[in-house]
Amino acid sequence: MFHKQKEFLISLITSRVLYLLVIFIALACVLIHRVFVLQIVEGENYLNSFELKTKKERSIDAARGNIYDRNGVLLAYNKLAYCVKIEDVFESGKSKNDHLNNTILRTIAIIEENNDKLSTEFNITVDEYNKYQYTVSGSRLSRFKADVYGLKLADEMTYAQSSSTAEEMMSYLAGEERFNVNALGLDKKTTLKIVAIRYALSLNSYQKYIATTISTNVSPKTVAIIMENSDVLQGVSIAEDTIRVYPTAQYTSQIIGYTGKVSSEELEELQKSDETYAASDIVGKVGIEASQESILHGKKGSETVFVDTMGKVISIEDHVDPNSGNNLYLTIDSNLQEAVYHILEQKLAGLILKKLINAKEYIPAENSTTADIMIPIYNVYISLFDNGVIDINHLNSDEATEDEKTAYLAFTSKKNDVLERLHNELTDKNTAYKKLSVEWQVYENYVEDILLNEGILVDALIDSSDEVYKSWAIDEVISLGEYIKYAISQNWIDTSILRLEDPYSESEEIFSKILEIIDDRLAHNDAFDKIVYKYVVKEDRIKPRVICNILIDQGIVELSDEYLNSWYSGRITPYSFMIDRITNLEITPAQLALDPYSASCVITDVNTGDVLAIVSYPSYDNNYLANGADSAYLKKINADHSTPLINYATQQRTAPGSTYKMVVATAGLMEGVVNTNTLITCLGSFTEITDTHNCWIYPGRHGALNLSTAIQKSCNYYFYTVGYRLSMDENNNYNSDIGLEKLAKYANMYGLGDKSGVEIEESAPQISNKYSVPSAIGQGTNNYTTVGLARYVTAVANSGTVYNLTLLDKSTDSEGNLIEDFNASIYNRIEMDESYWRAIHQGMRRVVEDRSYMKELPIEVAGKTGTAQQSRARADHGLFVCYAPYDQPKIAMAIRIANGYSSEYCVDTSKDIINYYFNIDEHEEIVTGTAAEISATGRSGD
């Protein structure tokens, strides 16, 4: 008994001792933990309460400055929003890719389930045929490939790298060598999303603790779910952010531009002046956003943050606030800008209606000119498919209507016929190219383009002097199949692209592989399908009424019940239906992309050089390209035949036509070859040089004219003579180079040899360097932008002050304090006798007085018309430069309607703009939202 009690006592004492020992050890550990801190240099991890902390130095982006018009109307601002960010917090190892990819996949699912979008920018997409395709080309594609392969220069790539297809690129990025996304077994679109995010993360890998934004402006629901799941979404966080908003969208997008993630080339350039720029920064990409980046960007702040292993912030130290970017005020009047945009669209629609005929094709009459070109209604039907107005992919969807299914069946029947015959043409039939119909020449041209664009047929290797090549390209007496086989035999084919199993394959094997590629590309190709649709429509396999029904079915047009009843009852014809749609601008000139579909206008203050409006039609909505470009929208506008990304006011160049005659008048007067009273008798045909040049009035003649009357009548003969006299050498012999040199001298005086000065992208002008006599009427090789012509006519209006035009008014800080007041600098002053200016101005005033429809204006206007032919197959370009009021000029204007038939339509357009600017009629009477009536007759006389 005593023995058992003894054992119990010993056991009790032992357990108590052990218990106290455990408590002592625990207390000791707590004490030790409180006393000792484990520090690791670079990363400085702290063990505190058994929790690992990481110290991070984090930069804080500055708020971008706002952009306003001259009246304080907001054109660009920042809107507070939440964004989803992700940071690579996983330790390196075999499981890293798996953990990170799964985290990204879960995050994507949350974002998209709540109808939010990813905002990562990546240069690969999945097309409608489930194939990876690059979204950039040329030097941008080369730069992208070099970046992916971690090379500083594109020249450092191997051939396999530089020629890699989008499919091969994705195989590399999604494979084990890089991100191993393929291990998840996902579809292509989801794989691409993860790869895009992983690639964005990799660009920040050289900088520690930089989170990558993967979705902007997310909904409160997305914010809540991600925060609730923060324990399983390691490295994913919600952050307050801003998105860039452009309230005036397409009306000012060609001026303002947009922001986006900095590219590697942009980053390199920006870091030259500011080392704080990082690979994750948002910068101005084009327009004012880009050119004034240094004003708008601001100065970054910084802070030290401590986070746990889950990426959660524990504490913040050493916070330094960022300094907001400065605000920028522009010289433009946004109300005027928007009104001019609508006026241009209305006039284009009116001109299209004026030229529209109810026919399948336009057959020119004998001796017809480009001014006689008409628009067959079938071209309208075709363009609805060709320019993506009708969604051809919806025609075969589960939601397709009966009319859509009817159209798709007609298309598939035709395409199958085309593919079968094309295969036979390439393999057996071998019809000489010149013996093919135009339709089949189009198909074969498309096939050749595929081979050239994909580098299969190497342009640099082709011997253009080869007789067989000439037989194909020039004489057109052999077939495409024969040409391809010959190209193989001459090693003009890059067989490495064909991915042949045997690199030493026989010619027949190579040809078979090429046929296989052609079949594959044509089977899955929107652009080729649109060509087929063109001929399906032309052959009436899809009836015009069915096409109109599809516009209704796809919601492209919305009509009243009354109109629909009339339509479905057959009381309205398809021709009338389309006229109504164009009249109401439910189908716009830009959507049709049929000549004329583009126009531009620049308005300046003649006394300051400020640009009041710089309008390009059509345009785009820059809200879709900022904050991470909307890939679907970007794809659509890149495929749009009206090319809305081009600024037609600053980037399109054409011959100036007769608007150039004031330059020549100045040259003639200043060089003394004419004076204000010199009479030159127009004989209709100028024959003083080898080549005969006719006046526009030929076979008529203007008779004797002085300088003012020559401008008024736009007499080519008069200005041919001036150009001829300017070309005389010291022995009174004609020398074209002498004339060109003198013409260039005065063109340069008006600033036509340099860009206009506006602070956005602009094409360089070209002063003519060939043929002095035709150059004297604005032909030769003269090529100018609309804004360049605006600077020129501004100088004419103010009698010689040539400005470097400006779009900048002032900059202020975020509190509204003035930082800098901008003014247009003076490029040149043309010192010329007042009587010379008076003669030029009088001639320009008479030009406008001769137009009866311009007499409706109570404001006196002076101007000069111009028509420039670029192709005999398309309508001429129309131009008009003017200023108003005539006696005390306030504004100058240049208008161009590309392929607009005649300058008369530009004059007519200027009437509405002047009416609006000077508040002559109610604005609602001018900007009506419907096709405008065309007052002008489209007469000749430029």
Side-chain angles (χ1 to χ4, degrees):
M1 178 76 179
F2 176 77
H3 182 70
K4 287 182 179 181
Q5 288 178 340
K6 184 179 179 182
E7 286 182 351
F8 172 76
L9 185 60
I10 292 171
S11 174
L12 180 62
I13 292 171
T14 302
S15 63
R16 290 289 177 87
V17 170
L18 288 173
Y19 175 74
L20 291 171
L21 183 61
V22 168
I23 291 175
F24 175 77
I25 292 171
L27 290 171
C29 287
V30 171
L31 181 61
I32 291 169
H33 175 65
R34 289 182 177 179
V35 173
F36 293 98
V37 176
L38 178 62
Q39 286 193 337
I40 301 175
V41 178
E42 186 60 33
E44 295 185 330
N45 296 321
Y46 291 84
L47 188 62
N48 189 13
S49 300
F50 299 106
E51 184 175 55
L52 193 66
K53 293 198 302 184
T54 303
K55 178 183 177 182
K56 303 181 180 183
E57 299 297 335
R58 186 164 68 186
S59 65
I60 306 170
D61 291 336
R64 196 170 182 84
N66 294 337
I67 303 176
Y68 301 87
D69 82 344
R70 69 188 298 112
N71 300 314
V73 176
L74 263 175
L75 306 179
Y77 69 95
N78 308 307
K79 176 184 173 184
L80 185 63
Y82 288 102
C83 69
V84 180
K85 290 178 176 283
I86 188 167
E87 182 183 331
D88 183 357
V89 297
F90 295 97
E91 295 294 330
S92 298
K94 291 182 179 180
S95 61
K96 174 176 177 171
N97 275 332
D98 183 52
H99 289 318
L100 184 51
N101 291 339
N102 274 294
T103 297
I104 293 171
L105 181 61
R106 289 176 190 151
T107 307
I108 290 172
I110 293 169
I111 291 168
E112 294 185 339
E113 282 171 6
N114 294 296
N115 297 316
D116 291 320
K117 293 182 178 180
L118 297 176
S119 56
T120 49
E121 297 179 12
F122 197 56
N123 294 328
I124 296 176
T125 188
V126 178
D127 66 17
E128 58 271 23
Y129 301 109
N130 201 38
K131 288 183 173 290
Y132 291 121
Q133 299 289 349
Y134 291 119
T135 58
V136 292
S137 58
S139 60
R140 289 183 62 194
L141 177 57
S142 296
R143 180 65 263 167
F144 171 64
K145 289 180 177 180
D147 288 343
V148 168
Y149 292 117
L151 302 172
K152 190 169 184 179
L153 300 173
D155 292 344
E156 296 174 0
M157 286 189 287
T158 64
Y159 181 80
Q161 290 172 334
S162 64
S163 64
S164 58
T165 66
E167 292 280 346
E168 290 166 338
M169 179 69 78
M170 283 299 297
S171 178
Y172 163 70
L173 288 171
E176 292 183 6
E177 190 174 349
R178 287 298 297 271
F179 307 135
N180 202 26
V181 181
N182 286 339
L184 298 176
L186 304 169
D187 61 85
K188 280 190 167 184
K189 288 186 177 180
T190 307
T191 297
L192 178 62
K193 292 170 186 176
I194 297 175
V195 165
I197 292 172
R198 289 294 307 272
Y199 180 68
L201 280 168
S202 73
L203 294 178
N204 289 328
S205 61
Y206 72 95
Q207 289 182 300
K208 287 199 171 187
Y209 318 124
I210 297 292
T212 298
T213 301
I214 63 172
S215 185
T216 58
N217 197 25
V218 296
S219 65
K221 193 171 181 182
T222 295
V223 171
I225 295 174
I226 285 180
M227 293 182 74
E228 287 169 8
N229 288 275
S230 60
D231 56 333
V232 294
L233 297 175
Q234 292 187 47
V236 180
S237 61
I238 296 292
E240 278 192 358
D241 200 0
T242 58
I243 59 170
R244 199 66 164 167
V245 179
Y246 303 107
T248 48
Q250 71 267 30
Y251 305 120
T252 55
S253 60
Q254 296 284 8
I255 301 171
I256 304 301
Y258 53 88
T259 59
K261 187 176 178 182
V262 67
S263 69
S264 55
E265 299 98 322
E266 291 164 340
L267 180 62
E268 184 178 348
E269 187 62 30
L270 289 168
Q271 285 180 335
K272 291 178 182 178
S273 56
D274 186 348
E275 293 181 351
T276 65
Y277 276 100
S280 59
D281 280 356
I282 299 298
V283 299
K285 304 294 281 186
V286 294
I288 290 293
E289 289 278 31
S291 71
Q292 306 306 306
E293 171 69 19
S294 61
I295 291 176
L296 296 165
H297 184 71
K299 184 178 180 181
K300 292 181 178 180
S302 63
E303 62 186 9
T304 302
V305 298
F306 295 89
V307 299
D308 62 17
T309 56
M310 303 296 289
K312 293 179 181 177
V313 175
I314 298 171
S315 60
I316 298 175
E317 297 177 1
D318 304 325
H319 179 86
V320 178
D321 286 329
N323 292 325
S324 298
N326 291 327
N327 297 327
L328 193 61
Y329 288 77
L330 304 185
T331 60
I332 67 165
D333 180 330
S334 59
N335 289 330
L336 177 65
Q337 179 86 10
E338 181 176 343
V340 173
Y341 187 90
H342 286 301
I343 290 169
L344 292 179
E345 183 174 62
Q346 290 171 185
K347 288 295 183 180
L348 287 171
L351 186 48
I352 287 170
L353 291 173
K354 187 180 180 74
K355 294 292 183 178
L356 196 63
I357 57 173
N358 192 10
K360 272 194 175 184
E361 57 182 320
Y362 162 66
I363 301 174
E366 191 175 353
N367 299 322
S368 63
T369 68
T370 54
D372 300 315
I373 294 173
M374 303 300 285
I375 305 171
I377 188 62
Y378 269 66
N379 285 13
V380 171
Y381 299 142
I382 290 166
S383 70
L384 296 173
F385 290 96
D386 190 41
N387 203 35
V389 179
I390 288 175
D391 182 356
I392 61 174
N393 295 308
H394 193 270
L395 302 181
N396 190 39
S397 69
D398 293 337
E399 298 81 24
T401 63
E402 287 304 313
D403 283 308
E404 288 180 298
K405 291 175 183 176
T406 297
Y408 185 74
L409 286 173
F411 160 74
T412 52
S413 174
K414 171 71 174 177
K415 184 174 181 181
N416 290 336
D417 292 344
V418 169
L419 293 179
E420 183 179 353
R421 178 179 162 183
L422 190 55
H423 190 86
N424 290 336
E425 281 288 349
L426 292 172
T427 55
D428 300 320
K429 205 169 181 181
N430 288 321
T431 304
Y433 181 85
K434 69 188 305 180
K435 292 184 178 180
L436 294 170
S437 66
V438 172
E439 176 185 352
W440 283 92
Q441 288 180 347
V442 170
Y443 295 144
E444 292 203 352
N445 289 343
Y446 194 86
V447 170
E448 184 184 18
D449 286 344
I450 288 174
L451 300 181
L452 287 167
N453 292 338
E454 296 199 14
I456 297 169
L457 183 59
V458 184
D459 194 44
L461 299 178
I462 296 172
D463 180 3
S464 59
S465 65
D466 185 280
E467 290 302 319
V468 177
Y469 173 78
K470 289 180 180 178
S471 296
W472 161 254
I474 300 172
D475 302 327
E476 302 177 350
V477 294
I478 64 172
S479 69
L480 178 58
E482 290 169 322
Y483 171 58
I484 293 172
K485 287 178 180 178
Y486 185 76
I488 294 170
S489 71
Q490 297 300 302
N491 295 318
W492 297 346
I493 300 293
D494 184 353
T495 55
S496 67
I497 291 179
L498 304 179
R499 303 295 190 258
L500 296 162
E501 292 184 9
D502 182 357
Y504 303 102
S505 298
E506 297 294 329
S507 294
E508 284 303 317
E509 293 177 77
I510 296 172
F511 185 69
S512 295
K513 185 64 176 179
I514 290 173
L515 290 179
E516 182 184 319
I517 290 173
I518 291 170
D519 289 342
D520 178 70
R521 301 301 186 267
L522 297 185
H524 308 292
N525 191 307
D526 258 6
F528 184 73
D529 287 353
K530 288 176 180 178
I531 295 173
V532 176
Y533 270 109
K534 173 181 178 178
Y535 291 101
V536 171
V537 173
K538 275 195 166 188
E539 295 168 8
D540 278 324
R541 296 193 186 200
I542 304 176
K543 301 293 184 184
R545 187 165 288 275
V546 170
I547 296 171
C548 295
N549 283 340
I550 291 172
L551 291 177
I552 299 169
D553 293 342
Q554 293 194 356
I556 297 162
V557 297
E558 295 183 7
L559 308 173
S560 67
D561 291 341
E562 182 182 358
Y563 192 95
L564 286 173
N565 289 334
S566 297
W567 166 249
Y568 288 129
S569 68
R571 293 196 297 272
I572 300 174
T573 66
Y575 180 66
S576 296
F577 179 94
M578 288 310 308
I579 286 178
D580 291 340
R581 304 290 70 75
I582 297 168
T583 298
N584 295 329
L585 294 176
E586 294 160 325
I587 299 294
T588 66
Q591 287 176 300
L592 293 177
L594 297 171
D595 293 338
Y597 61 82
S598 68
S600 56
C601 176
V602 179
I603 304 172
T604 65
D605 182 324
V606 302
N607 299 306
T608 66
D610 286 353
V611 176
L612 305 178
I614 184 165
V615 183
S616 173
Y617 179 89
S619 189
Y620 64 94
D621 187 340
N622 45 356
N623 289 291
Y624 285 99
L625 300 187
N627 314 305
D630 183 305
S631 58
Y633 182 76
L634 187 59
K635 179 182 178 182
K636 180 181 178 182
I637 59 175
N638 277 327
D640 192 329
H641 297 318
S642 71
T643 54
L645 288 173
I646 290 176
N647 188 332
Y648 286 99
T650 64
Q651 293 175 306
Q652 182 185 46
R653 302 183 310 165
T654 71
S658 294
T659 62
Y660 191 70
K661 286 175 178 173
M662 287 82 77
V663 172
V664 185
T666 303
L669 291 167
M670 297 287 278
E671 293 294 326
V673 300
V674 293
N675 61 40
T676 57
N677 297 314
T678 300
L679 294 178
I680 294 175
T681 301
C682 170
L683 302 175
S685 184
F686 186 81
T687 58
E688 295 295 323
I689 59 176
T690 305
D691 297 327
T692 298
H693 297 278
N694 295 328
C695 186
W696 66 264
I697 202 173
Y698 182 82
R701 56 183 67 188
H702 284 114
L705 304 170
N706 63 17
L707 186 136
S708 294
T709 313
I711 292 174
Q712 174 189 358
K713 301 297 182 182
S714 198
C715 177
N716 290 345
Y717 190 100
Y718 181 99
F719 287 97
Y720 286 147
T721 303
V722 174
Y724 178 73
R725 291 180 180 180
L726 289 169
S727 303
M728 292 300 172
D729 65 15
E730 57 188 13
N731 297 317
N732 210 33
N733 294 317
Y734 171 75
N735 185 323
S736 178
D737 289 342
I738 291 174
L740 288 168
E741 185 177 341
K742 290 177 182 176
L743 289 172
K745 171 184 173 182
Y746 292 93
N748 276 308
M749 283 185 180
Y750 279 107
L752 288 170
D754 289 311
K755 295 180 182 181
S756 70
V758 292
E759 295 84 359
I760 56 177
E761 297 78 8
E762 180 181 354
S763 299
Q766 180 179 334
I767 295 175
S768 183
N769 56 10
K770 291 182 179 180
Y771 321 119
S772 62
V773 168
S775 293
I777 66 163
Q779 295 180 1
T781 58
N782 282 308
N783 269 298
Y784 305 111
T785 61
T786 309
V787 72
L789 295 176
R791 167 157 80 165
Y792 151 56
V793 74
T794 298
V796 173
N798 65 36
S799 299
T801 301
V802 184
Y803 289 104
N804 285 312
L805 300 181
T806 186
L807 287 163
L808 305 183
D809 182 16
K810 64 182 178 180
S811 64
T812 68
D813 63 20
S814 58
E815 301 298 320
N817 301 306
L818 182 67
I819 300 295
E820 186 173 0
D821 205 349
F822 300 103
N823 293 290
S825 61
I826 294 176
Y827 176 84
N828 183 40
R829 291 188 190 274
I830 301 172
E831 302 295 341
M832 191 163 68
D833 190 279
E834 182 58 35
S835 65
Y836 292 174
W837 286 117
R838 191 181 309 115
I840 291 172
H841 292 157
Q842 286 174 351
M844 294 175 70
R845 173 62 189 143
R846 291 173 189 170
V847 168
V848 178
E849 285 180 323
D850 282 351
R851 273 73 183 169
S852 59
Y853 55 88
M854 292 295 283
K855 293 178 181 178
E856 301 169 12
L857 289 174
I859 300 289
E860 290 188 339
V861 181
K864 183 69 195 80
T865 54
T867 300
Q869 187 181 80
Q870 190 167 335
S871 166
R872 294 186 183 276
R874 300 176 71 179
D876 297 344
H877 303 304
L879 303 100
F880 183 58
V881 297
C882 66
Y883 62 89
Y886 170 61
D887 290 329
Q888 292 183 314
K890 290 184 178 180
I891 62 168
M893 185 190 317
I895 299 174
R896 184 194 335 257
I897 300 179
N899 304 110
Y901 292 91
S902 166
S903 59
E904 288 300 315
Y905 303 123
C906 294
V907 182
D908 194 17
T909 302
S910 76
K911 182 187 74 172
D912 286 356
I913 296 171
I914 290 168
N915 191 336
Y916 181 94
Y917 182 84
F918 289 102
N919 298 305
I920 297 167
D921 290 328
E922 293 295 326
H923 289 177
E924 294 77 10
E925 296 177 23
I926 304 166
V927 181
T928 63
T930 59
E933 181 182 349
I934 302 295
S935 303
T937 60
R939 66 181 184 177
S940 299
D942 291 328

